[in-house]
Amino acid sequence: MSTPGNRETGGRRPQRADARSNRERILNVAEEVFGKGGESASTEEVARLANVGIATVFRHFPTKAALLEAVLVQRFDRLREQAETLLHATDPGTAFFDFFRHLVADATGKIAITEALLEVGGDHGSDAAQASDGLRRAVGALLQQAQRAGAVRNDVELPEVYALLVATSRASAPAHVEEEVRDRMLAIVFDGLAPRRTSRRR
């Protein structure tokens, strides 16, 4: 007969506190290591910096692909939580544009991790896809609030806004453009998203 604890963990015994701590530390270190090193980074480096044995890493994440996908899930979830917090901002327009800017600045690490996952033969599994969709929905909610506040034009929808977000992220991340150039690029994008000004007739 199963216990409530078994049901909550899908029939598995709950992780001990030290095991949960190790898993969290491995994920945090892996995000930093693969975010900087991409496919050239190794699980051995993750284990060393997390101060655990390589067997401990593979006990939590049986393959390098599983570790990278878990890192992506954590990254998407954190960004989604940040976006959801901004839904309570007093200035929806500023909240939307600031988060757009934050996602572009954050893209370099995300792209490196994604490319590392593809390099080892993995892809966005169901967990990563679900986490990515959650972030997309949160961005959509920020967009709707900014539109209701009159800060973003009403004739744009999430698909094209998200396409702009992905495009600007990829344009700035691989080339390592200067911050000043990236800011000017975003200013042009934001100007295009702003409500159209009605020209006065002479």
Side-chain angles (χ1 to χ4, degrees):
M1 186 172 66
S2 62
T3 65
N6 293 139
R7 287 196 298 269
E8 291 175 2
T9 56
R12 301 187 302 272
R13 296 179 62 183
Q15 286 188 328
R16 297 178 320 198
D18 58 341
R20 289 195 301 271
S21 177
N22 281 342
R23 185 181 191 279
E24 181 178 354
R25 189 165 64 254
I26 290 167
L27 275 178
N28 290 337
V29 169
E31 182 173 358
E32 182 176 356
V33 168
F34 288 108
K36 292 180 179 178
E39 65 265 22
S40 65
S42 67
T43 50
E44 287 78 6
E45 183 180 2
V46 172
R48 179 177 60 81
L49 293 176
N51 198 28
V52 297
I54 190 65
T56 300
V57 174
F58 287 119
R59 188 178 305 122
H60 290 281
F61 308 100
T63 64
K64 186 176 182 179
L67 173 59
L68 286 164
E69 183 179 357
V71 169
L72 277 179
V73 169
Q74 175 174 270
R75 200 178 189 95
F76 285 136
D77 283 346
R78 183 174 64 249
L79 290 169
R80 173 186 52 77
E81 290 168 0
Q82 292 172 357
E84 289 173 346
T85 298
L86 290 173
L87 290 172
H88 306 290
T90 56
D91 186 340
T94 298
F96 169 75
F97 288 117
D98 282 353
F99 192 66
F100 193 115
R101 186 179 290 106
H102 174 65
L103 287 177
V104 171
D106 181 77
T108 301
K110 183 263 182 186
I111 291 172
I113 295 166
T114 301
E115 290 179 347
L117 177 59
L118 294 175
E119 181 70 18
V120 297
D123 57 14
H124 281 198
S126 59
D127 289 343
Q130 184 176 357
S132 179
D133 287 344
L135 172 59
R136 183 187 178 98
R137 287 193 298 271
V139 171
L142 285 175
L143 171 63
Q144 289 179 346
Q145 285 198 352
Q147 288 175 317
R148 285 196 291 268
V152 175
R153 51 195 290 183
N154 289 320
D155 61 338
V156 299
E157 297 181 355
L158 180 60
E160 54 261 34
V161 170
Y162 221 74
L164 280 172
L165 175 58
V166 172
T168 51
S169 295
R170 289 197 169 276
S172 61
H176 300 291
V177 298
E178 296 179 1
E179 186 175 350
E180 182 181 352
V181 174
R182 186 182 67 202
D183 288 344
R184 289 202 304 270
M185 176 182 67
L186 287 174
I188 295 170
V189 173
F190 293 168
D191 185 62
L193 291 173
R196 294 176 177 176
R197 297 178 180 86
T198 304
S199 59
R200 295 181 179 179
R201 293 183 179 178
R202 294 183 178 180

